[in-house]
Amino acid sequence: MLALLSDFTIQNVIIGAMLLGLISGVLGSFAVLRKQSLLGDTLSHAALPGICLGFLIAGSRNLGAILAGALVTGALAALFMVLLTRTTRLKTDAGLGIALSLFFALGIVFLTHIQATGGAAQGGLESFLFGQAAAILRSDLWVMGTITAIALALVALFWKEFKLVTFDPVFAATLGLPVLALDIALTLMIALAVVVGLQMVGVVLMAAMVVAPAVAARQWSNRLDVMVALAAIFGMVSGLFGALVSATARGLSTGPLIILAASAIVIVSLLFAPGRGLVWSGLKRLEDKRALRGRRVLTTLYRLAAEHKDPAYPAEQAMVDAYYGLETRPVLNRLHQRGLIAQVCHMPEQTPHWVLTDQGIAEAEALLGHRDDTP
Amino acid sequence: MKNDLHEPGLALHVEDLTVSYQSRPVLWDIDFDIPPGVMAAIVGPNGAGKSTLIKSVLGLVKPTAGHITMFGRPYKVQRRKVGYVPQRSSVDWDFPTTALDVVTMGLYGQLGWIKRPGKSEHARARAALEQVGMADFATRQISQLSGGQQQRVFLARALVQDADLYFLDEPMAGVDATTERAIVKILHALRDAGKTVIVVHHDLHTVSTYFDWLVILNVRVIAQGPVSQTYTPENLRRAYGGQIALLDRDNFLNATPSAS
């Protein structure tokens, strides 16, 4: 393991993957809360024509030029989407979809053109489609690290403003905040996160990296600061996992592994997060169902006792079973455990009989009284 | 400086206001004034432009023509004197934050850029929650609150702004009777403290019991003035047209004597 960590290339991949997880987790949280999960998808697909243009202008596989191109076309796509939704009746989802397909199609056209005419100089541009983490250089890390640091500093500095604009943009506007400028800033920063991830996971899978850590983190916390921190951690853990697994196993590429790890965290979170998880709410429903059955059987016993004008009336279990048409033993046992009923003998019958305890009578009266209150 | 004051004696002064969406006027040639220290209702049928009016007053919608001043100056320079309660449905209540945090947001404007809310801001927010009877829910996640409780949190966020003029957009929509009474009580207390309260209201039955000033709107201003003079069947018919049958007759009988 230590030998693995001291390998220069693997170090690069690990650092790159974790930087990507960090920035996309933090900015993805804002994108998801602003209902712009698809924005990441559009920005990443729209980066493709920019990658090609950057390559054409620089004349080589210069990362700076390529990322700048990606940022420019990504921003253009976002602008195009905003124009579409503001000037036509299209809603955001349709606007995002149109911008995505238009820019991605342009990108594919440029890409095939470069492949057909550029000969050997094309330098593996198609690796930006699915990412090629192993090709990452130490100098690339400096670019990614600087972008991440700038984005994180901006989020920390304008935390309160970004929070308010995300939660209640109208109220933010009445306070005099420049909502449009903050909107643009957040969108540009998400575009930056996408650009950082292009080399790692590629344009096709990058959207998942924006959405997955944030969605998972939302499950575990009801506070924005905790959610953003968790999303950053989830993103970094996914990056670390993808980098390590692809380094140890042959023929597994890093990008998709990162996405798979992030998706696994999402699934676990959707199922098991306390309060919001599916398993948790399922258990709660089961519990409620049991409690309801218990309440119904208890009130039945109470009514029987009332009918016989005997608070200590022993109800035969088979009679309760017959009333409900099913086996009530488990329900009776639970009521017994809670001390609401007690088992008695009622000679000459040999079968089990149950009487209400004082506590059980009080509970049944409370239930019935409560029920009478509500029409 | 005195020169740039325009109608400083009025809490709200709206003159020749026209707002249109895609060349269709939503509000047309609106003129009305609201004096300080009253609790005013803005009523009108659906599509009358009530929410648009509030939005253009708060600078959220750009008017096509006309001007608006508050205590003599435009909203831009009077923000600190104005508190706003938007419609409850305007935000996603599943946002990861607490009731106290939402109320603290009311102070973001006064805090200024970058500065984070500290102890004194949280204390003020807590006091505002107390005022609306929500002190026990300060640390609750906002999606766990009932509709009425959410509305009270929004009200507390406006209270913490410590404004002179309050705008509320349908604060009584979809809340239970207890919450409605609580909200009205707080608004009356504000008015009695000399503040001006302007409410977009949807329930005509309660106009005469809750409010002392009324603006009836339907693209144009149908009537404005003290409730006792403006809340008449005649005015309401002009604003609501056929829909007026929805009102029960007793309500008018109650309203008419107080008008004379």
Side-chain angles (χ1 to χ4, degrees), chain B residues 5 11 51 76 81 88 102 140 163 168 199 206 239:
Chain B
L5 286 179
S51 288
K76 255 191 165 161
K81 292 187 179 169
R88 183 162 52 86
V102 172
R140 247 345 143 75
L168 299 92
V199 180
T206 50

Side-chain angles (χ1 to χ4, degrees), chain B:
Chain B
M1 280 309 277
K2 264 263 179 278
N3 294 347
D4 55 11
L5 286 179
H6 180 70
E7 301 285 0
L10 294 168
L12 177 66
H13 164 70
V14 177
E15 197 176 318
D16 300 337
L17 178 74
T18 295
V19 180
S20 46
Y21 291 134
Q22 283 153 6
S23 78
R24 190 175 57 89
V26 181
L27 292 171
W28 199 66
D29 195 23
I30 300 275
D31 293 286
F32 74 93
D33 299 313
I34 291 177
V38 299
M39 178 149 153
I42 298 176
V43 300
N46 289 335
K50 292 168 291 185
S51 288
T52 306
L53 178 62
I54 289 252
K55 282 190 178 133
S56 42
V57 166
L58 295 173
L60 301 170
V61 169
K62 207 173 147 29
T64 313
H67 66 259
I68 301 159
T69 58
M70 291 158 210
F71 303 108
R73 289 208 175 91
Y75 178 64
K76 255 191 165 161
V77 294
Q78 298 285 52
R79 287 186 206 281
R80 297 284 168 81
K81 292 187 179 169
V82 179
Y84 173 49
V85 180
Q87 288 190 15
R88 183 162 52 86
S89 57
S90 63
V91 303
D92 175 13
W93 289 91
D94 197 35
F95 192 84
T97 189
T98 60
L100 184 72
D101 198 34
V102 172
V103 177
T104 312
M105 288 175 190
L107 293 166
Y108 283 8
Q110 298 169 28
L111 264 175
W113 287 88
I114 298 172
K115 209 168 157 260
R116 299 283 181 91
K119 261 203 184 110
S120 73
E121 281 78 23
H122 286 134
R124 284 172 68 186
R126 222 172 269 277
L129 274 177
E130 189 114 17
Q131 222 178 326
V132 298
M134 289 283 293
D136 295 341
F137 298 91
T139 56
R140 247 345 143 75
Q141 205 271 319
I142 51 174
S143 69
Q144 293 164 3
L145 302 173
S146 72
Q149 290 169 336
Q150 290 171 348
Q151 190 67 63
R152 289 195 216 191
V153 168
F154 259 12
L155 183 57
R157 184 176 68 173
L159 290 177
V160 87
Q161 292 181 280
D162 195 22
D164 295 325
L165 174 58
Y166 287 93
F167 288 97
L168 299 92
D169 199 346
E170 305 240 5
M172 269 80 101
V175 304
D176 56 87
T178 322
T179 304
E180 179 161 337
R181 271 197 300 277
I183 291 174
V184 169
K185 208 173 137 198
I186 293 162
L187 296 182
H188 280 166
L190 284 175
R191 177 198 57 193
D192 296 343
K195 319 273 191 184
T196 313
V197 180
I198 300 174
V199 180
V200 169
H201 196 57
H202 65 287
D203 182 11
L204 288 174
H205 296 96
T206 50
V207 164
S208 51
T209 45
Y210 291 168
F211 299 95
D212 41 32
W213 198 271
L214 179 65
V215 176
I216 304 178
L217 196 71
N218 191 0
V219 184
R220 309 202 60 183
V221 173
I222 306 294
Q224 58 169 317
V227 167
S228 54
Q229 289 161 31
T230 46
Y231 187 69
T232 61
E234 162 69 16
N235 282 337
L236 292 171
R237 197 170 296 118
R238 280 172 59 205
Y240 287 81
Q243 296 172 49
I244 202 69
L246 295 171
L247 286 165
D248 63 295
R249 207 170 296 143
D250 297 346
N251 211 40
F252 282 125
L253 293 176
N254 290 338
T256 330
S258 64
S260 56

Side-chain angles (χ1 to χ4, degrees), chain A residues 295-330:
Chain A
R295 284 200 290 268
R296 284 177 61 187
V297 170
L298 189 70
T299 51
T300 306
L301 292 178
Y302 180 84
R303 288 222 171 86
L304 277 169
E307 210 135 284
H308 288 84
K309 298 195 171 56
D310 176 12
Y313 172 75
E316 193 168 350
Q317 188 178 308
M319 185 168 72
V320 183
D321 285 352
Y323 181 77
Y324 283 100
L326 48 83
E327 179 84 18
T328 54
R329 178 92 208 186

Side-chain angles (χ1 to χ4, degrees), chain A residues 200-216:
Chain A
M200 272 338 262
V201 298
V203 299
V204 177
L205 286 175
M206 188 51 213
M209 212 47 212
V210 173
V211 179
V215 167

